[in-house]
């Protein structure tokens, strides 16, 4: 009966396999400990009492759902922060790359050149926002990040929206 | 005692049960049962989501140990913030229960409002 209960709980917790593995191990330990304290004249009856006292597996899983959701949201938050930092670093790296090869920086990319500099005012840092907005074209952002737009032909530049 | 009434105070009950030292889930439930004079009769499984939630909030820490029986079990301990949270909740509860007692006994309270 304990195995059947754990199987049902596992089914109810399938929304989070990592959490499910931990909970199942804890619950198995609890049920076996509780069984060890029972009079074992009738094992089946003792298991039934232990499982009944523990409560409905689906109700238990519903309580774990909010814990799992909080965990997922925290991880998502961390991923978003890391991704934002990575994008900023890439933009900054592109500016250094241009400077290293002495390429001309496209006007819309200039605010990135001074982003993060302590000598620049906060309002200057906000000027990066319209620059990001101007780069909303996906294709163009990729080209901006990995190659030099000034080396493109007029036809290529017009296709990508450069003047 | 009513299940719904208990659920509202479950976090404080679990923190209080762990105030005497580290324990695993089954031992926590036994501690609650003994210290409440067997008055608290929640489904035993209800304690586990509370333990996970309190750990997520940083009020408990846990580690896996191997019991004498050979089974792996998770032992929970109050953290420093868990001890502070328990002290805060204990103070609020005492104020609240004194206010309710005064109300039910029909006496005027001279203390601060809960």
């Amino acid at each position: 009966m304990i195995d059947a209960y754990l199987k049902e709980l596992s089914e109810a917790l399938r929304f989070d396999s990592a959490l499910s593995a931990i909970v199942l191990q804890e619950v198995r330990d609890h049920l076996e400990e509780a069984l060890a304290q029972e009079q074992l004249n009738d094992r089946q009856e003792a298991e039934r009492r232990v499982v009944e006292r523990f409560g409905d597996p689906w109700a238990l899983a519903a309580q774990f759902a909010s814990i799992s959701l909080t965990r997922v949201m925290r991880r998502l938050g961390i991923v978003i922060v890391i991704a934002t930092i990575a994008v900023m670093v890439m933009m900054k790296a592109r500016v250094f790359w241009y400077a290293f090869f002495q390429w001309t920086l496209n006007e819309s990319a200039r605010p990135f050149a001074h982003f993060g500099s302590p000598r620049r005012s906060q309002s200057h840092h906000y000027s990066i926002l319209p620059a990001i907005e101007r780069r909303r074209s996906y294709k163009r952002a990729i080209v901006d990040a990995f190659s030099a737009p000034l080396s493109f032909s007029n036809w290529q530049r017009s296709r990508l929206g450069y003047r | 005692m009513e299940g719904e009434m208990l659920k509202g105070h479950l976090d404080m009950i679990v923190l209080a049960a762990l105030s005497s030292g580290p324990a695993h889930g089954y031992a926590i439930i036994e501690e609650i049962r003994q210290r409440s004079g067997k008055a608290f009769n929640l489904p035993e499984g209800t304690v586990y989501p509370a333990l996970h939630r309190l750990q997520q909030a940083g009020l408990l820490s846990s580690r896996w140990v191997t019991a004498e029986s050979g089974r792996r079990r998770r032992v929970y301990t109050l953290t420093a913030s868990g001890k502070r949270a328990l002290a805060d909740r204990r103070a609020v509860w005492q104020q609240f229960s004194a206010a309710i007692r005064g109300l039910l006994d029909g006496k005027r309270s001279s203390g601060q409002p809960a």
Side-chain angles (χ1 to χ4, degrees):
Chain A
M1 189 166 268
I2 287 179
D3 286 338
Y5 181 88
L6 290 172
K7 197 175 170 191
E8 198 174 348
L9 182 59
S10 157
E11 181 82 4
L13 286 169
R14 67 179 183 274
F15 55 83
D16 189 334
S17 56
L19 180 69
S20 171
I22 294 168
V23 172
L24 287 175
Q25 183 140 23
E26 273 192 287
V27 174
R28 177 177 287 281
D29 175 53
H30 177 104
L31 296 176
E32 287 181 2
E33 182 79 27
L35 190 63
Q37 308 299 323
E38 287 278 327
Q39 300 288 337
L40 282 180
N41 298 332
D42 182 350
R43 191 184 166 93
Q44 279 261 316
E45 177 57 23
E47 285 196 14
R48 192 195 61 74
R49 279 197 302 271
V50 163
V51 161
E52 195 179 272
R53 279 206 312 267
F54 202 79
D56 177 39
W58 293 91
L60 189 64
Q63 292 180 57
F64 275 112
S66 64
I67 295 167
S68 172
L69 186 66
T70 308
R71 211 163 63 148
V72 168
M73 292 303 282
R74 271 189 196 172
R75 282 184 190 166
L76 191 66
I78 291 168
V79 168
I80 288 171
V81 168
I82 291 172
T84 307
I85 291 169
V87 167
M88 288 296 176
V89 168
M90 269 178 61
M91 287 172 171
K92 197 77 183 160
R94 181 202 164 206
V95 171
F96 284 123
W97 182 259
Y98 272 42
F100 184 74
F101 287 101
Q102 296 184 334
W103 286 338
T104 311
L105 204 59
N106 185 286
E107 196 169 323
S108 67
R110 282 198 185 133
F112 297 119
H114 304 291
F115 188 75
S117 165
R119 280 176 297 173
R120 294 288 169 159
S121 67
Q122 200 174 12
S123 62
H124 177 84
H125 288 158
Y126 288 132
S127 71
I128 200 167
L129 298 176
I132 291 170
E133 171 61 21
R134 281 196 295 274
R135 269 145 211 277
R136 62 188 178 274
S137 159
Y138 225 55
K139 208 155 106 184
R140 184 169 154 177
I142 293 166
V143 170
D144 273 5
F146 297 107
S147 69
L150 290 178
S151 65
F152 287 175
S153 69
N154 286 339
W155 179 81
Q156 286 170 322
R157 291 165 64 77
S158 68
R159 286 292 301 270
L160 290 170
Y162 291 106
R163 285 191 295 274
Chain B
M1 191 176 276
E2 291 295 323
E4 287 307 313
M5 198 189 286
L6 266 183
K7 277 180 192 166
H9 303 291
L10 188 57
D11 289 1
M12 182 177 67
I13 291 168
V14 170
L15 291 174
L18 278 165
S19 63
S20 49
H24 59 278
Y26 185 82
I28 292 168
I29 291 160
E30 279 299 302
E31 182 78 8
I32 292 170
R33 199 172 282 145
Q34 296 304 321
R35 278 164 67 171
S36 70
K38 298 186 181 176
F40 293 168
N41 197 23
L42 273 173
E44 293 173 2
T46 315
V47 167
Y48 287 90
L51 287 168
H52 282 245
R53 195 172 52 245
L54 290 167
Q55 184 172 8
Q56 207 170 53
L59 304 182
L60 299 181
S61 63
S62 73
R63 66 181 197 281
W64 288 95
V65 298
T66 306
E68 284 176 21
S69 59
R71 286 195 303 271
R72 297 245 305 140
R73 62 174 39 149
R74 204 173 186 197
V75 173
Y76 293 88
T77 311
L78 273 182
T79 60
S81 26
K83 286 175 188 165
R84 277 197 301 276
L86 177 61
D88 290 348
R89 285 173 201 209
R90 187 181 282 135
V92 170
W93 174 259
Q94 282 168 351
Q95 213 175 11
F96 178 76
S97 74
I100 291 289
R101 203 180 311 120
L103 199 69
L104 293 178
D105 293 348
K107 292 174 189 166
R108 279 179 185 257
S109 169
S110 55
Q112 290 178 345

